[in-house]
Amino acid sequence: MASGKRPEHLAPPEIFYNENEARKYTSNTRMIEIQLKMTERAVELIALPEDTPCMILDLGCGSGLSGETLTEQGHIWVGVDISKDMLDVAQEREVEGDLLLGDIGQGMSFRPGTFDGAISISALQWLCNADKKSHNPVKRLYTFFSTLYSSLSRGSRAVFQFYPENGEQVELITQQAMKAGFTGGLVIDYPNSTKAKKMFLVLFVGGQQQLPRGLGTVPGERGVPGQVSNTNARQRSKAARGKPLKKSRDWILEKKERRRKQGK
């Protein structure tokens, strides 16, 4: 884009993705290839059972490019998008998923436990913007995540590939997701590459699950971490309240001092 501005700074999504932009997006070979790769990676991170058709929610489904990957892998899907023009193109392309027009920032009214997983490609960062006077990003994110949490089955995952503008947006999004009941964290593929780096928010619904490792990362390797769990976020919160992080030097010294006073 000539202006170099991020799309969400130019107009609300339902206006930015007009008929012309929707058709251009869907006919761009490079865009289709990128969308395909990111969707395949998102589905991999959901970790669905093999050879089992699942019900998947595609958030910000657009013209159905990501949904086609779900169909090819044998899954049933429902797509939600705020752009009518994008959904019109999806219908013209005769995608197999059910399509719903809606603003995810207002929440969703699916029955509890409807979906076995959810994916979202390049849409989540739009919720950080206040496109109307009535929009409060914190409230909209919480409303979205809390209704999404309810609609997912226990033990399932939701995976968001997104383009945060800065660290504050990552913190805002993650905080509201955890407040809504999710656990999980960030998975960063190729964290030390400028071009290949991709960020995924991987969220878990109940149960103990291990955060996947980002592609292009090696355990113990120095540099940008390939995963940032919510446990780390909780530890940062403790540090902010003046409590030393567990296993840190200060924590060990404090523990030794307590033992000394107890005569141990």
Side-chain angles (χ1 to χ4, degrees):
M1 201 165 296
S3 66
K5 288 186 177 181
R6 295 168 65 94
E8 61 267 28
H9 290 173
L10 298 175
E14 66 272 27
I15 296 175
F16 179 82
Y17 289 109
N18 55 28
E19 182 179 358
N20 180 57
E21 194 67 29
R23 294 188 184 283
K24 187 167 66 174
Y25 188 95
T26 310
S27 60
N28 186 311
T29 306
R30 179 175 171 274
M31 194 67 71
I32 293 172
E33 183 180 351
I34 292 172
Q35 189 91 357
L36 173 64
K37 288 181 179 179
M38 292 192 298
T39 305
E40 288 178 341
R41 176 60 171 151
V43 174
E44 180 184 337
L45 290 169
I46 293 181
L48 298 168
E50 290 186 18
D51 303 320
T52 303
C54 295
M55 176 70 84
I56 308 298
L57 179 59
D58 186 356
L59 298 152
C61 65
S63 57
L65 294 177
S66 49
E68 286 182 334
T69 300
L70 296 172
T71 298
E72 288 171 3
Q73 296 195 16
H75 302 301
I76 304 161
W77 59 279
V78 174
V80 181
D81 203 281
I82 197 171
S83 168
K84 181 180 181 300
D85 289 308
M86 275 289 203
L87 295 179
D88 286 344
V89 173
Q91 286 187 317
E92 287 177 15
R93 298 175 64 247
E94 298 182 346
V95 298
E96 294 191 22
D98 292 328
L99 304 172
L100 300 174
L101 178 66
D103 175 6
I104 59 174
Q106 293 182 354
M108 298 168 293
S109 55
F110 297 110
R111 297 172 83 175
T114 296
F115 298 101
D116 303 308
I119 65 168
S120 178
I121 308 298
S122 311
L124 187 57
Q125 68 272 4
W126 288 86
L127 287 180
C128 294
N129 279 11
D131 295 317
K132 300 177 182 177
K133 287 185 178 180
S134 59
H135 282 184
N136 179 319
V138 174
K139 290 182 179 179
R140 282 170 58 77
L141 281 163
Y142 177 72
T143 299
F144 163 62
F145 281 123
S146 58
T147 54
L148 173 62
Y149 186 90
S150 172
S151 72
L152 293 169
S153 59
R154 185 168 178 79
S156 63
R157 298 183 181 186
V159 175
F160 300 83
Q161 181 277 322
F162 69 120
Y163 295 105
E165 187 172 357
N166 48 46
E168 286 74 20
Q169 280 195 357
V170 174
E171 193 74 19
L172 170 65
I173 289 169
T174 306
Q175 282 180 350
Q176 297 312 307
M178 304 308 161
K179 184 180 176 183
F182 286 104
T183 56
L186 292 178
V187 173
I188 307 172
D189 286 350
Y190 308 105
N192 298 307
S193 169
T194 304
K195 290 185 177 180
K197 181 179 178 180
K198 289 291 181 290
M199 192 173 291
F200 296 85
L201 178 63
V202 180
L203 301 176
F204 307 138
V205 182
Q208 293 293 323
Q209 300 189 53
Q210 185 173 0
L211 196 64
R213 180 165 292 280
L215 299 178
T217 63
V218 179
E221 183 180 46
R222 300 192 116 186
V224 181
Q227 52 186 178
V228 183
S229 71
N230 187 42
T231 302
N232 294 336
R234 284 197 293 268
Q235 288 183 338
R236 288 198 301 273
S237 177
K238 281 186 178 181
R241 295 195 298 268
K243 295 182 180 179
L245 299 182
K246 192 173 183 181
K247 305 295 184 182
S248 68
R249 182 174 179 274
D250 289 342
W251 182 85
I252 293 170
L253 291 174
E254 191 176 282
K255 184 177 180 181
K256 284 183 176 179
E257 180 62 18
R258 283 200 307 271
R259 286 177 172 270
R260 188 186 66 77
K261 289 180 178 178
Q262 292 169 355
K264 295 182 180 180

